[in-house]
Amino acid sequence: MPSKKHIISDLGEKKLIHRIIKKTHNLQQDYYSKHPLIKKSLGDDAALMDLSEIGPSKNFLVVSSDMLLAKTHFPSQMSPRERGWKIVTVNVSDISAMGAIPQGLILSIGLPGDMEIRQFDELMDGVLEACNYYHIPLLGGDTNESSQMVLSGTIIGSVEKSKALMKSGARPGDIVAVSGDLGLAAAGFEILLSSTLDQDKIKSILPEKIIKKVIQKALKPQAKIKEGIIAAQSGNVTALTDITDGLASELEEILKASDLPLGIRIYEDKIPLPDEVKKIGEFFSKKPLDMALHYGEDFELLFCIKKDALASLKDKIKLMVVGEVTSTGNMEIVDKKGNINILPPGGYQHLEG
Amino acid sequence: MPSKKHIISDLGEKKLIHRIIKKTHNLQQDYYSKHPLIKKSLGDDAALMDLSEIGPSKNFLVVSSDMLLAKTHFPSQMSPRERGWKIVTVNVSDISAMGAIPQGLILSIGLPGDMEIRQFDELMDGVLEACNYYHIPLLGGDTNESSQMVLSGTIIGSVEKSKALMKSGARPGDIVAVSGDLGLAAAGFEILLSSTLDQDKIKSILPEKIIKKVIQKALKPQAKIKEGIIAAQSGNVTALTDITDGLASELEEILKASDLPLGIRIYEDKIPLPDEVKKIGEFFSKKPLDMALHYGEDFELLFCIKKDALASLKDKIKLMVVGEVTSTGNMEIVDKKGNINILPPGGYQHLEG
């Protein structure tokens, strides 16, 4: 009776991950009694390992893994070189969200047997271009045959134990800020995924420079590694994550990760939505705000910052304040008229995407 | 002109990996000038990282990644739980081949959206059963939708800097030994992949106990982590690798990794080929010897051992001597009549499998 079957796409990615974490918590209890940190960081942007046992260290090892699949993650226009760049960037972004310094990348790949060697070389050129850009070595990996391209990266980094930044840690009164404009990558993907007819239309409406900018942002994003490291060193950031699934989804993650009954209030007119996002959103009749709240892919960072430290941190990195941490227990967005509305988490769900 | 296209399946996995390593060597030269170890271990069973820069340590961090795909690696009879067990085992085996102690696993998975939640839970049960068996935590990972099941693991371990064992390091006169019987997994896969008619036939010829044993070996292999650690601690093992692609292929890896013009001579009558492998091989008209030389999947270890230390190491771990390291530059096998023949490397090629 197929209709009776419970399948994982009914759950979606977040519930599936929650299910894995719950099961892991149950089955690895014995381990956690000796290693509480492992339990604490499971489900964060990256895992934190205390290396003290294998040698004294003032640092945590920071490890994270991200997989990209052709059908789910790569628009057809994305070149092999851009795909190679992106698998490195998504992984680096995960540890930048811990304030960590990247130390190396492992890459396992599955490729169609009929992939041209020329394309394969371009893919690896993109991987190594990104590794060199982020100053990390490619440490190793595995190659396999796969009907569709699968790129699975694991990034290894380090962060001073006292400085590591997790999703948890925000406090009422903290300032909520992002590291840059939101929605640009979403705008780029809208164009890339649209019909050639629409593409011709929008090219006739908007200057080429703008089209190029948003498509570049979609095809070749850059992880905010410097900003993460500075945030961690400052000691004034209470929670940090990278915005891969949209601002709303990441704000929810911050609330969920906290032991306190936190709330967050953001302000529509403070969200950094560039004109090009508004124009492109309107062209495709998408609400520009949704492209910032529910799309992601910009790889900007989301900070919770001690109020009195905002100014000093602003001198060091680009920060755009979008709201504050509250104790209401709600996620709220204040619209341009000043009305307070509940902000639905939503966010991009890979298993549904 | 498709006929003119050069595609990666023309190369096969080993040439493809060699291509990646060569390109990486070219593009990351600047990095290697400061970190020669990273260059040295690229292409070995696992990467070695010197953590001194992020805190003093008497240990190397050992990192390796292995990906398994349903179509390429999993016979249909393999249960979700067995698949989960195997992705952990193949990764643990890679660092056992460095003499390392496993410290944690990262797992990224791609799954069909219509996979039953029940099966998903079994998959994760297998992963966590294996993690607990090898005493490692599941550190994190990523989930995605994929047309076929993709499991990509990254294992992190540690080994004393002075004890780490690589493929390089063998010296003429060293004893070549393996950690256990060879060909059992191959025999199991022969049965699993055969027609139901053949399966019924062989079940009528061989005792159920034997069938169960070889199938178990194929579906639920175990990494020889203890043997690797003891080998490293002994200080008397000069080279170590795990046998995943067949004895011949791994012997070739040992020769390639050496700076010396080494040769290896093994003896047909010394290769531990259990009777069940001979019987099953003959039934499927496969040369039993080939099942040991060119199949792998047993996850046994291959040791090169200082001659005078063999006895003391034999007291601590199971060792089966198969030959010795020479300086002839050739891979040789001595047949049962005493004739010396050249041993072709061959081995299982994932991209052709």
Side-chain angles (χ1 to χ4, degrees):
Chain A
M1 296 162 289
S3 61
K4 277 259 168 67
K5 275 186 184 166
H6 299 290
I7 61 175
I8 56 178
S9 58
D10 298 340
L11 291 177
E13 186 183 27
K14 289 200 175 197
K15 286 210 180 103
L16 207 58
I17 290 168
H18 178 70
R19 201 176 179 90
I20 295 172
I21 291 171
K22 207 175 143 197
K23 186 185 278 289
T24 306
H25 281 175
N26 289 339
L27 295 177
Q28 299 215 288
Q29 279 169 13
D30 302 351
Y31 188 90
Y32 295 142
S33 58
K34 270 182 268 123
H35 308 80
L37 181 73
I38 297 291
K39 182 176 184 179
K40 186 162 183 261
S41 67
L42 186 69
D44 215 300
D45 295 296
L48 295 178
M49 293 177 77
D50 189 341
L51 295 178
S52 305
E53 296 180 5
I54 63 169
S57 176
K58 63 182 208 316
N59 295 277
F60 287 137
L61 194 72
V62 187
V63 190
S64 182
S65 184
D66 248 330
M67 177 186 278
L68 297 177
L69 297 109
K71 286 179 195 153
T72 320
H73 299 97
F74 297 137
S76 56
Q77 302 95 323
M78 201 167 187
S79 70
R81 177 180 278 271
E82 287 160 343
R83 295 173 188 213
W85 172 280
K86 183 154 186 182
I87 188 60
V88 181
T89 294
V90 294
N91 278 281
V92 169
S93 183
D94 277 331
I95 65 163
S96 71
M98 312 296 282
I101 300 165
Q103 302 286 351
L105 182 87
I106 310 276
L107 181 66
S108 284
I109 52 184
L111 300 172
D114 63 357
M115 181 185 199
E116 284 184 60
I117 293 169
R118 182 181 51 75
Q119 293 177 308
F120 171 79
D121 287 339
E122 284 173 24
L123 173 71
M124 290 311 302
D125 285 338
V127 167
L128 291 163
E129 181 194 358
C131 284
N132 291 336
Y133 175 79
Y134 297 115
H135 304 293
I136 51 174
L138 179 62
L139 296 169
D142 184 26
T143 64
N144 298 277
E145 179 157 31
S146 171
S147 44
Q148 71 166 319
M149 182 190 287
V150 187
L151 307 178
S152 182
T154 299
I155 184 85
I156 296 183
S158 61
V159 64
E160 248 179 276
K161 287 176 184 175
S162 61
K163 306 283 192 184
L165 294 176
M166 302 177 73
K167 290 176 181 173
S168 56
R171 294 288 174 267
D174 288 348
I175 301 297
V176 178
V178 296
S179 57
D181 290 335
L182 301 178
L184 288 168
F189 279 112
E190 283 297 333
I191 295 174
L192 287 170
L193 300 175
S194 65
S195 67
T196 43
L197 186 69
D198 278 348
Q199 291 188 14
D200 295 342
K201 254 193 228 154
I202 196 154
K203 279 170 187 163
S204 67
I205 298 167
L206 293 176
E208 199 189 351
K209 206 169 116 284
I210 288 178
I211 309 267
K212 274 216 171 111
K213 177 187 175 184
V214 295
I215 287 180
Q216 173 77 352
K217 186 80 182 182
L219 295 183
K220 200 177 175 186
Q222 297 178 356
K224 292 289 173 87
I225 196 79
K226 182 180 109 273
E227 290 77 357
I229 293 167
I230 291 171
Q233 291 307 320
S234 76
N236 291 317
V237 173
T238 57
L240 181 67
T241 189
D242 61 332
I243 306 173
T244 49
D245 294 345
L247 180 60
S249 169
E250 308 302 343
L251 288 171
E252 187 194 20
E253 293 286 312
I254 299 265
L255 295 192
K256 275 190 188 164
S258 171
D259 334 325
L260 304 173
L262 293 184
I264 282 178
R265 174 177 291 181
I266 61 173
Y267 301 84
E268 185 174 342
D269 59 8
K270 289 187 175 182
I271 293 170
L273 267 178
D275 288 344
E276 45 264 59
V277 174
K278 291 177 185 156
K279 289 203 184 91
I280 294 164
E282 279 149 15
F283 177 87
F284 290 107
S285 44
K286 303 255 166 169
K287 284 172 70 182
L289 184 62
D290 286 345
M291 295 166 78
L293 291 178
H294 303 305
Y295 205 107
E297 293 291 325
D298 292 307
F299 295 96
E300 298 295 343
L301 294 175
L302 171 63
F303 310 81
C304 295
I305 305 163
K306 292 176 187 166
K307 197 167 191 168
D308 54 15
L310 178 63
S312 63
L313 194 57
K314 257 188 160 171
D315 296 340
K316 302 196 191 78
I317 49 177
K318 184 178 178 188
L319 286 175
M320 292 156 149
V321 173
V322 296
E324 64 261 351
V325 179
T326 68
S327 52
T328 61
N330 299 327
M331 283 189 14
E332 302 165 329
I333 181 161
V334 180
D335 68 22
K336 284 168 176 166
K337 299 192 202 69
N339 306 318
I340 301 170
N341 306 305
I342 290 298
L343 174 66
Y348 176 65
Q349 298 263 322
H350 291 290
L351 270 170
E352 294 160 23
Chain B
M1 297 163 285
S3 62
K4 276 259 166 66
K5 277 187 184 167
H6 299 289
I7 61 175
I8 57 177
S9 57
D10 298 340
L11 292 177
E13 186 184 26
K14 290 199 174 198
K15 284 209 182 103
L16 206 59
I17 290 169
H18 178 71
R19 201 175 178 91
I20 295 172
I21 292 172
K22 206 174 144 199
K23 186 183 277 291
T24 306
H25 281 176
N26 289 338
L27 294 177
Q28 300 215 288
Q29 279 169 10
D30 301 352
Y31 187 91
Y32 295 141
S33 56
K34 268 182 270 125
H35 308 81
L37 181 73
I38 297 291
K39 181 175 184 179
K40 186 160 185 260
S41 67
L42 188 69
D44 214 300
D45 295 296
L48 295 176
M49 293 178 76
D50 189 340
L51 296 178
S52 305
E53 295 182 5
I54 63 169
S57 175
K58 63 183 208 316
N59 296 278
F60 287 137
L61 194 71
V62 187
V63 190
S64 182
S65 184
D66 249 328
M67 178 185 278
L68 297 176
L69 296 109
K71 286 178 196 154
T72 321
H73 300 96
F74 297 137
S76 56
Q77 301 97 321
M78 202 168 187
S79 71
R81 176 179 279 271
E82 287 160 343
R83 295 172 187 212
W85 172 280
K86 182 154 187 183
I87 188 60
V88 181
T89 294
V90 295
N91 278 281
V92 169
S93 183
D94 277 332
I95 66 163
S96 70
M98 313 295 283
I101 301 166
Q103 302 286 352
L105 181 87
I106 310 275
L107 181 67
S108 284
I109 52 184
L111 300 171
D114 64 357
M115 181 186 200
E116 283 184 62
I117 292 168
R118 183 182 49 75
Q119 292 177 308
F120 171 79
D121 287 338
E122 285 173 24
L123 174 71
M124 289 311 302
D125 285 337
V127 167
L128 290 163
E129 181 195 358
C131 283
N132 291 336
Y133 175 79
Y134 296 116
H135 304 293
I136 50 173
L138 179 62
L139 296 168
D142 184 26
T143 64
N144 298 277
E145 178 157 31
S146 170
S147 43
Q148 70 166 319
M149 182 190 287
V150 187
L151 306 178
S152 182
T154 300
I155 184 83
I156 295 184
S158 61
V159 64
E160 249 179 275
K161 287 176 183 175
S162 60
K163 306 282 191 183
L165 295 177
M166 302 177 72
K167 290 176 181 173
S168 56
R171 293 288 174 267
D174 288 348
I175 301 296
V176 177
V178 296
S179 58
D181 290 334
L182 301 178
L184 287 168
F189 279 112
E190 283 297 334
I191 295 173
L192 287 170
L193 301 174
S194 66
S195 67
T196 42
L197 186 69
D198 277 347
Q199 291 188 15
D200 296 342
K201 250 192 231 157
I202 196 153
K203 278 171 187 163
S204 67
I205 298 168
L206 294 177
E208 199 189 351
K209 207 170 114 282
I210 287 179
I211 308 270
K212 274 214 169 112
K213 178 187 174 184
V214 295
I215 287 179
Q216 173 77 355
K217 185 83 183 181
L219 295 183
K220 200 178 176 185
Q222 296 178 357
K224 293 292 173 83
I225 196 79
K226 182 180 109 273
E227 290 76 358
I229 293 167
I230 292 171
Q233 290 307 320
S234 76
N236 291 317
V237 172
T238 57
L240 182 66
T241 190
D242 61 332
I243 306 173
T244 51
D245 293 345
L247 181 60
S249 169
E250 308 303 342
L251 289 171
E252 187 194 19
E253 292 286 312
I254 299 266
L255 295 192
K256 275 189 186 164
S258 172
D259 333 327
L260 304 174
L262 293 184
I264 282 178
R265 173 176 292 182
I266 60 172
Y267 301 84
E268 185 175 342
D269 60 7
K270 288 187 175 181
I271 293 170
L273 266 180
D275 287 343
E276 43 265 61
V277 175
K278 292 176 185 155
K279 289 204 184 91
I280 294 163
E282 279 149 16
F283 177 86
F284 291 106
S285 44
K286 303 254 165 167
K287 283 171 72 182
L289 183 62
D290 286 345
M291 295 166 77
L293 291 178
H294 303 304
Y295 205 105
E297 291 292 325
D298 291 308
F299 294 96
E300 297 296 343
L301 293 175
L302 171 63
F303 308 82
C304 296
I305 306 163
K306 293 175 188 167
K307 197 166 192 167
D308 54 15
L310 178 64
S312 64
L313 193 59
K314 257 188 160 171
D315 296 340
K316 301 195 192 79
I317 50 176
K318 184 178 177 187
L319 285 175
M320 292 157 149
V321 173
V322 296
E324 64 262 350
V325 180
T326 68
S327 51
T328 62
N330 298 328
M331 285 193 8
E332 302 166 328
I333 182 163
V334 180
D335 67 21
K336 286 170 174 163
K337 297 191 205 69
N339 306 319
I340 301 171
N341 306 306
I342 291 297
L343 174 66
Y348 175 66
Q349 297 263 321
H350 292 288
L351 269 170
E352 293 161 25

